[in-house]
Amino acid sequence: MTQTIFWTTELDTDLLSTPFEVQTNWHVITGAPCSGKSTLIDQLANQGFQTVPETARLYIEREMAKGQTGHPIRSNAAALQSSIKDLQINIEGGLPVNEFLFLDGAVPGSMTWYRVYGLNPNEILLDCFHRRYASVFMLDQLPFQSDNQRVEEMATIADFLDKWHTRDYSALGYSVWRVPLLPPEERLVFILKSISENEHI
């Protein structure tokens, strides 16, 4: 298996002093792959909350609808991550800032994915200051079944994403709320209760 090279540099402290342009009433659901994000977002939508789906999945689905295949889409990691980040910015730019809604991932998550592909997250750090989110929830990972090298590689990436999503959001000044491994219904209750009891987040 090819050794994966992650970029673990800290974020630029000078750039981190950049003020946010606007405060939103948006709540971010983030986490590593297979952490249950999609399930939770679907539950929130079923409860009548406004939700925004994962941009990476949306981007890849759009490209495949144009006739692209998975391999070419992923063959240039830098271009792929930049395109996903740009789409995320465009989507968020079209959302009403005062609307109470849930995002399946947000712009700062692109920095962590930049790290996965050996790219410098500081290249897109300033993009994280367009909007400030009301809260950030990090889902604890579901267990991986390590039965082959590919799964082991994905587990390594998931561990890295879990760690650096938390670090990158924290560096931006967010209090990251960990959502423990609970049945989906209890995770939903955990998040809604946390928001209602912590209006300052």
Side-chain angles (χ1 to χ4, degrees):
M1 181 175 60
T2 303
Q3 179 68 35
T4 303
I5 300 175
F6 300 128
W7 191 297
T8 58
T9 188
E10 298 295 337
L11 297 178
D12 187 305
T13 54
D14 290 333
L15 296 181
L16 284 173
S17 64
T18 303
F20 287 93
E21 295 176 14
V22 64
Q23 174 67 52
T24 73
N25 196 22
W26 308 341
H27 304 270
V28 179
I29 308 295
T30 190
C34 300
S35 60
K37 291 192 294 100
S38 296
T39 297
L40 184 55
I41 286 290
D42 288 344
Q43 284 182 299
L44 288 162
N46 290 337
Q47 290 290 321
F49 294 104
Q50 184 176 347
T51 61
V52 180
E54 182 184 42
T55 302
R57 181 177 299 179
L58 178 61
Y59 174 81
I60 291 173
E61 287 176 352
R62 287 183 180 180
E63 292 302 301
M64 293 182 72
K66 298 176 185 177
Q68 292 283 355
T69 60
H71 178 70
I73 291 172
R74 295 178 174 85
S75 60
N76 186 332
L80 173 62
Q81 294 307 315
S82 179
S83 295
I84 291 172
K85 180 264 300 179
D86 289 344
L87 179 58
Q88 184 74 43
I89 290 174
N90 288 337
I91 289 173
E92 292 186 16
L95 298 172
V97 296
N98 293 323
E99 188 78 18
F100 183 92
L101 57 80
F102 292 91
L103 297 164
D104 185 345
V107 174
S110 291
M111 293 195 301
T112 310
W113 278 103
Y114 262 51
R115 295 178 182 280
V116 169
Y117 291 102
L119 306 171
N120 188 347
N122 286 299
E123 293 178 7
I124 59 172
L125 176 54
L126 288 177
D127 291 318
C128 299
F129 293 97
H130 295 312
R131 284 159 281 277
R132 193 181 197 285
Y133 312 105
S135 64
V136 178
F137 291 92
M138 180 76 186
L139 304 189
D140 281 350
Q141 298 180 64
L142 300 174
F144 271 85
Q145 299 297 321
S146 298
D147 54 2
N148 57 54
Q149 284 190 339
R150 176 61 176 167
V151 173
E152 290 177 0
E153 180 183 16
M154 287 304 298
T156 299
I157 292 174
D159 288 342
F160 180 87
L161 288 167
D162 183 275
K163 173 183 177 180
W164 282 93
H165 273 313
T166 302
R167 290 187 64 167
D168 286 337
Y169 274 103
S170 296
L172 291 167
Y174 294 102
S175 296
V176 179
W177 290 74
R178 299 289 311 199
V179 181
L181 283 176
L182 297 168
E185 297 78 10
E186 293 183 30
R187 277 185 156 183
L188 177 64
V189 171
F190 178 93
I191 287 177
L192 295 178
K193 184 178 179 181
S194 297
I195 292 173
S196 67
E197 293 180 349
N198 297 274
E199 295 181 356
H200 64 283
I201 60 178

